[in-house]
Every structure is written in C-alpha cells, then in structure tokens.
C-alpha cells in the first residue's frame, strides 16, 4: 500500500534525528549488554570490550530465536565502538533502513551483517573487524 503522506512523514522524522540521537539509539544493544554482563563482561564502548566479547562462550548459538537478535546487537555494538573511537567514522541509515558505519575512507561497513555472522559462527571476530575498520 502506497500512502505518500506517510512515506514523507517517516522520511522527515528520520531526517530530523541528530547524529547523537541516532548513535544513542543504536548503542543500546540491551540483549548483548545483558548477556555480556551475565558473563562478567562490561561493555564500555572500547576495543578491549570487543576482545572480551570474542572470548565469551557462545551459549546463544543453541537458541535459534535469540541468535539473530544477539547478532544484530553485536553488530550495532561493533558500530558504536567504531563510531566512538575511529576518527571520521559515522552512522548512516541506508534507504532500506539498515544502519551502517561510514568510514573516513568512504567505505560503507555493514556492521549488522558482521554481527550476525559473528553470533552464528564466531568468525570473523569483532576485534578483528574493528581493527580492519580502524585501518581503513
């Protein structure tokens, strides 16, 4: 169903969010933060916290319902760390609604896809992905 005024209204509401507001929403990652906290890992938006996540025992892989949610959160958390620590990195929302990180080099980094892969298989590690983004 195509309702033009709803589409325009939605576009305007997304456009009016400031970068800090978007970053704050994307940084919540409640499920991942809860899982990490339960395992004694503090997510403090640093590269070291990504290394700690890589060391967690992946109990979530046995739960098909939680796996995609945790992977999504892992990707958003990876993006949060990159945006907060890599000069020139910023969140962007693609036209399909997918949040991605844009690096100063102009490269788009689909952190959610990376987080989903990490949650499902553990590879590539989040700390490795961070290092790749920091070098770009």
């Amino acid at each position: 169903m195509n309702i033009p005024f709803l589409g325009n209204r939605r576009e305007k509401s997304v456009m009016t969010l400031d970068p800090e507001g978007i970053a704050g929403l994307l940084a919540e990652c409640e499920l991942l933060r809860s899982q990490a906290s339960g395992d004694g890992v503090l997510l403090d938006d640093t590269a070291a916290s990504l290394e700690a996540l890589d060391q967690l025992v992946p109990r979530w892989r046995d739960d098909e319902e939680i796996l995609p949610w945790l992977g999504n959160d892992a990707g958003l958390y990876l993006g949060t760390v990159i945006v907060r620590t890599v000069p020139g990195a910023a969140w962007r929302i693609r036209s399909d609604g997918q949040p991605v990180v844009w690096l100063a080099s102009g490269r788009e980094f689909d952190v959610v896809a990376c987080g989903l892969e990490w949650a499902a298989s553990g590879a590539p590690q989040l700390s490795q992905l961070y290092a790749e983004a920091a070098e770009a």
Side-chain angles (χ1 to χ4, degrees):
M1 177 190 286
N2 184 12
I3 305 174
F5 69 89
L6 288 179
N8 290 338
R9 180 179 173 96
R10 181 179 173 160
E11 284 179 26
K12 287 180 183 178
S13 68
V14 170
M15 300 288 275
T16 59
L17 284 176
D18 64 286
E20 288 181 24
I22 291 171
L25 289 172
L26 297 175
E28 289 181 3
C29 312
E30 283 185 46
L31 181 60
L32 181 68
R33 289 182 189 276
S34 174
Q35 177 79 37
S37 177
D39 286 336
V41 173
L42 173 66
L43 299 185
D44 59 0
D45 301 345
T46 63
S49 65
L50 294 172
E51 292 174 11
L53 282 173
D54 288 335
Q55 302 306 310
L56 290 179
V57 175
R59 289 183 222 115
W60 58 83
R61 290 191 190 136
D62 296 332
D63 188 335
E64 290 182 20
E65 287 186 35
I66 203 169
L67 181 75
W69 293 101
L70 191 91
N72 187 72
D73 274 9
L76 294 176
Y77 184 71
L78 171 63
T80 296
V81 174
I82 292 169
V83 167
R84 292 186 176 168
T85 61
V86 175
W91 284 109
R92 300 257 174 103
I93 307 298
R94 293 192 313 211
S95 61
D96 65 358
Q98 182 72 18
V100 295
V101 172
W102 277 85
L103 304 174
S105 65
R107 179 175 168 217
E108 179 184 281
F109 204 149
D110 188 346
V111 291
V112 172
C114 293
L116 291 168
E117 180 136 354
W118 173 82
S121 68
Q125 293 185 332
L126 297 174
S127 57
Q128 178 185 352
L129 294 164
Y130 173 82
E132 180 183 325
E135 290 177 4

